[in-house]
């Protein structure tokens, strides 16, 4: 069945039906609509279907409809129920139009490939729905990045100028890429780029990594300094104690020259002192089953290899616990007589489990130390003896300097008899110990070379030190200058402490609060500086302190200031001029402080510099 362009299939179907009726009237035919194929039944041509439409693809009669159809994927198309994808000879719900209807705007193009069928799209440079298109103002950034340069480095944004015309605005994407964003030396400052065109400057936090290279954080405080390497401030004492391990100990007996006693939990010291030409025996079975007879010596060996190489030895102390020994008869004046145990330095090439009197080590240095034992009776629970001397300290220092691994000592007695606990004693706190003190930094005390008070009461009068240095609210302040030129060149400071002594305090209802800063210029004379010609202060508060108040404050009161800001300022001035003038002012109340000529030298101002 052919379709004439401009005439729909429904018109054709109606015409066919009319022709059929006319034929029935003019021709003697017994056929009726009941003999036609019903919807869903097979057909060959439209005339054979009661609905007047034989679906060409399936050769099945379609059902009639007015608006909706029963069944999946069926739509009502021009009075017949057809599959949604049905399209025969360009007719059917599945057929796409071949052009944009009713046509596109002059500045638009019909897109036949559009997903939802032919669609009018405005041409480049125009905007709209395709039926109506208006010109779009040209974005200057679309061509050559608006002339801004490399788009990876510079962002182009179209902005309206005063005449509402689009212009290209160029923004550096990451300003940190050039000259560190203007932040300064990249060794000390970092530039970050949180968003386009923004460069944020910050000091590098050296202290966040490995404590800024200062060392053990338990000993050193790392202080970041803007634009410079961090400062390392010592927070621990310069003199550090180290307990060196006891490697081995034992005793030897002259009357058992080949015997070894290293398994016993005690040490014996027994002199050769005799009474009336007879050898003396001392029975210690009350504590241990041992009978001491004849001279005995005890030997101890301490490990020096673990000592750090951080400074010289300034003290060495041996600790022994004596639990038994000479029993003083009542008729003897033991307090007067006393007896002495002594300490010698011996060769350390011996082993406790093989040592005997016959192979006693050579004495390298005798009389390192001695101690008198006068308790005159058996010690109940043990008595601690701490043995220290300049000779013992010097011997330890000498061994450390020569990188010796151990220090071997011999304990003997001139006329005494003692038992000490050994390393095998059950209670660790009773065993022998050796403590070596290393001086790991130097504390150099600097006294002022000038100090003076200035006052608003006498603005043009040089007051010098007078009867003391006065800080009185906004009326008086005083200066103390310290010359640091005695410190060796190249020294790196590791701490600074200021000591002041208040000799009088006067309350005006405040909290006796005082502050410390420093002067910009150290050039001033003790006998010429006045309030009028005083140098400018830096204005940076280095420390704040309060004095005691009350009806009877304890005077003099010594104040030690050890602040980070004081350390920073002293370091800065040390590296610049090796001199600093500190200014002390009172924010509330008033006080008089000892000056550099005060009668009591211990009260004079002192600046202690610490370095390694």
């Amino acid at each position: 069945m052919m379709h004439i362009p401009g005439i729909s299939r429904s018109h054709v179907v109606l015409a066919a039906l009319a022709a059929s009726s006319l034929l029935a009237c003019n021709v003697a035919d017994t056929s009726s609509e009941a003999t036609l194929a019903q919807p869903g039944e097979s057909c060959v041509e439209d005339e054979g279907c009661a609905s007047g439409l034989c679906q060409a693809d399936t050769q099945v009669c379609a059902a009639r409809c007015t608006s909706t159809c029963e069944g999946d994927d069926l739509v009502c198309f021009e009075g017949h129920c057809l599959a949604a994808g049905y399209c025969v000879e360009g007719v059917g719900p599945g057929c796409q139009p071949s052009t944009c209807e009713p046509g596109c705007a002059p500045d638009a193009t019909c897109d036949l490939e559009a997903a939802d069928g032919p669609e009018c799209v405005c041409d480049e440079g125009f905007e709209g729905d395709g039926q109506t298109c208006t010109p779009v103002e040209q974005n200057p950034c679309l061509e050559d990045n608006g002339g801004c340069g490399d788009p990876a480095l510079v962002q182009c944004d179209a902005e309206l100028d005063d005449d509402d015309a689009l212009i290209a605005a160029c923004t550096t994407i990451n300003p940190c890429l050039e000259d560190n964003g203007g932040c300064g030396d990249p060794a000390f400052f970092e530039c970050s780029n949180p968003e386009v065109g923004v460069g944020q400057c910050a000091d590098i936090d050296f202290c966040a990594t490995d404590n800024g290279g200062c060392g053990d954080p338990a000993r050193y405080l790392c202080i970041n300094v803007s634009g410079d390497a961090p400062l390392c401030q010592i927070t621990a004492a310069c003199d550090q104690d180290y307990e060196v391990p006891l490697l081995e100990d034992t005793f030897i007996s002259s009357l058992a020259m080949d015997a070894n006693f290293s398994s016993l939990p005690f040490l014996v010291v027994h002199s050769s002192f005799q009474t009336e030409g007879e050898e003396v025996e001392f029975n210690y079975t009350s504590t241990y089953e041992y009978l001491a007879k004849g001279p005995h010596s005890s030997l101890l060996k301490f490990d020096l290899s673990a000592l750090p190489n951080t400074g010289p030895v300034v003290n060495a102390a041996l600790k022994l616990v004596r639990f038994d020994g000479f029993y003083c008869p009542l008729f003897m004046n033991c307090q007067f007589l006393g007896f002495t145990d002594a300490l010698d330095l011996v060769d350390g090439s011996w082993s406790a489990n093989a040592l005997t009197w016959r192979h006693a080590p050579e004495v390298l240095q005798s009389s390192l130390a001695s101690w008198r034992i006068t308790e005159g009776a058996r010690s109940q629970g043990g008595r601690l003896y701490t043995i220290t001397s300049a000779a013992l300290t010097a011997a330890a220092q000498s061994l450390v300097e020569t990188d010796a691994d151990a220090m071997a000592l011999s304990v003997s007695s001139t006329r005494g008899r003692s038992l000490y606990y050994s390393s095998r004693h059950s209670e660790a706190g009773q065993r022998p110990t050796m403590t070596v003190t290393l001086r790991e930094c130097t504390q150099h005390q600097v006294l002022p070379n000038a100090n003076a008070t200035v006052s608003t009461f006498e603005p043009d009068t040089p007051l010098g030190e007078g009867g003391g240095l006065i800080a009185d609210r906004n009326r008086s302040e005083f200066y103390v200058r310290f010359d640091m030129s005695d410190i060796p060149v190249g020294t790196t400071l590791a701490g600074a402490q200021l000591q002041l002594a208040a000799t009088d305090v006067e309350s005006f209802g405040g909290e006796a609060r005082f502050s410390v800063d420093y002067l910009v210029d150290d050039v001033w004379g003790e006998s010429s500086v006045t309030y009028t010609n005083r140098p400018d202060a830096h204005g940076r508060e280095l420390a704040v302190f309060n004095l005691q108040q009350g009806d009877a404050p304890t005077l003099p009161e010594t104040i030690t200031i050890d602040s980070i800001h004081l350390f920073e300022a002293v370091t800065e001035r040390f590296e610049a001029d090796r001199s600093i003038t500190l200014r002390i002012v009172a924010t509330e109340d008033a006080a008089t402080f000892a000056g550099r000529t005060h009668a009591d030298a211990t009260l004079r101002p002192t600046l202690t510099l610490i370095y390694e």
Side-chain angles (χ1 to χ4, degrees), residues 495-506:
Q497 298 173 349
L498 172 66
Q499 179 178 300
L500 299 171
T503 57
D504 189 25
V505 180
E506 187 172 357

Side-chain angles (χ1 to χ4, degrees), residues 504-582:
D504 189 25
V505 180
E506 187 172 357
S507 175
F508 292 95
E511 297 180 356
R513 184 176 183 271
F514 300 81
S515 64
V516 181
D517 66 355
Y518 63 110
L519 300 186
V520 174
D521 189 354
D522 282 331
V523 181
W524 55 273
E526 188 175 47
S527 60
S528 60
V529 66
T530 67
Y531 188 85
T532 300
N533 66 16
R534 70 193 188 282
D536 292 333
H538 193 281
R540 177 187 175 193
E541 194 172 73
L542 305 181
V544 174
F545 63 92
N546 292 79
L547 296 176
Q548 296 179 33
Q549 290 182 300
D551 296 335
T554 302
L555 294 173
E557 180 182 352
T558 301
I559 304 96
T560 300
I561 298 168
D562 184 9
S563 71
I564 291 175
H565 294 317
L566 174 66
F567 173 49
E568 291 175 330
V570 170
T571 300
E572 174 189 321
R573 298 299 302 160
F574 174 76
E575 294 176 351
D577 299 320
R578 302 176 74 80
S579 176
I580 188 170
T581 297
L582 298 174

